[in-house]
Amino acid sequence: MSWAVEEWKEGLCPRVLQKIHELESQVGKLKKERQQRQFQLESLEAALEKQKQKVENEKKEATTLKRENQSLMELCDSLEKAKQKISHDLQAKESQVNIQLGQLSSSRKDIERLEQELKRCKCELERSQQTSTAGDLSFSGTPQKSFTAPLTPVQSHNDSKFEELEEKYKKEVQERKKLELELRTIQAKKYKSATSTKLFESQGDCSASGFLKCVFMAARKDTI
């Protein structure tokens, strides 16, 4: 086939043949250059498409990060509100504890006072009973018919006062036990509230650090 291609060159002068050869060489070079440029173009188009896909993925990631940032901000607000509520409840519990402590202290003083009063009344009652017993013995030594001497007004008053003080003492003791139970319950709730506050603070710190990290990453993606 090459002889048929070269047939048209027969009869041409050497100068023309040289010129044809130069032109054919230039055409070969241009074809190679064209192939190289076509390869470079295809490579650039592939790189461009890859870069476009990368940018699209980064945009999607940035959108996701923004949504996560919004969720973290809402979570921080929720934790802050919960922390404020727990702090308020804790202050209320502390105030209630102080009130209960005051009532408990007052109840203890009342119990001590009633105990002293009760001891005094017991002593008076014993003295009154001894006096009454001595009187009964003096009457029993005579031939007269013995009988039980009626209680004097003083003895009746002492007995009723003793019973009244004893009943009041029992009520004060019951009230003291009730106050102590309420105080222990409030202190337990106070401890639980304080523990919850520390937990929320710890979660708030973690959420804040995560939030700042996400903000930094989002700003970096937007810059790219």
Side-chain angles (χ1 to χ4, degrees), residues 170-196:
K170 290 179 180 179
K171 289 182 179 180
E172 288 291 339
V173 171
Q174 291 177 355
E175 184 67 21
R176 176 182 174 180
K177 290 180 179 179
K178 181 181 178 182
L179 288 173
E180 288 177 346
L181 179 60
E182 291 179 356
L183 182 61
R184 285 196 295 269
T185 302
I186 292 172
Q187 287 176 340
K189 291 181 179 179
K190 178 182 176 183
Y191 173 77
K192 185 176 180 181
S193 298
T195 305
S196 300

Side-chain angles (χ1 to χ4, degrees), residues 108-209:
R108 286 174 179 171
K109 291 180 180 179
D110 290 340
I111 288 174
E112 291 175 357
R113 180 178 57 80
L114 287 173
E115 286 176 347
Q116 295 297 327
E117 186 70 17
L118 193 59
K119 289 179 182 178
R120 187 180 64 80
C121 288
K122 282 183 178 180
C123 292
E124 291 181 359
L125 184 61
E126 289 175 357
R127 285 197 300 268
S128 177
Q129 288 175 348
Q130 290 174 0
T131 302
S132 176
T133 302
D136 291 342
L137 291 174
S138 63
F139 279 112
S140 64
T142 63
Q144 297 177 359
K145 186 178 180 180
S146 62
F147 62 92
T148 302
L151 293 176
T152 62
V154 175
Q155 291 175 336
S156 299
H157 175 70
N158 287 338
D159 286 343
S160 62
K161 188 173 182 181
F162 175 77
E163 291 175 357
E164 180 182 352
L165 287 173
E166 191 173 19
E167 184 67 24
K168 191 172 182 181
Y169 173 76
K170 290 179 180 179
K171 289 182 179 180
E172 288 291 339
V173 171
Q174 291 177 355
E175 184 67 21
R176 176 182 174 180
K177 290 180 179 179
K178 181 181 178 182
L179 288 173
E180 288 177 346
L181 179 60
E182 291 179 356
L183 182 61
R184 285 196 295 269
T185 302
I186 292 172
Q187 287 176 340
K189 291 181 179 179
K190 178 182 176 183
Y191 173 77
K192 185 176 180 181
S193 298
T195 305
S196 300
T197 301
K198 291 180 180 179
L199 178 60
F200 276 120
E201 288 177 353
S202 176
Q203 291 179 347
D205 293 339
C206 293
S207 298
S209 62

Side-chain angles (χ1 to χ4, degrees), residues 26-36:
Q26 290 180 0
V27 169
K29 291 180 181 179
L30 290 174
K31 285 182 179 180
K32 290 182 180 180
E33 185 177 354
R34 180 185 170 219
Q35 289 177 353
Q36 291 177 355

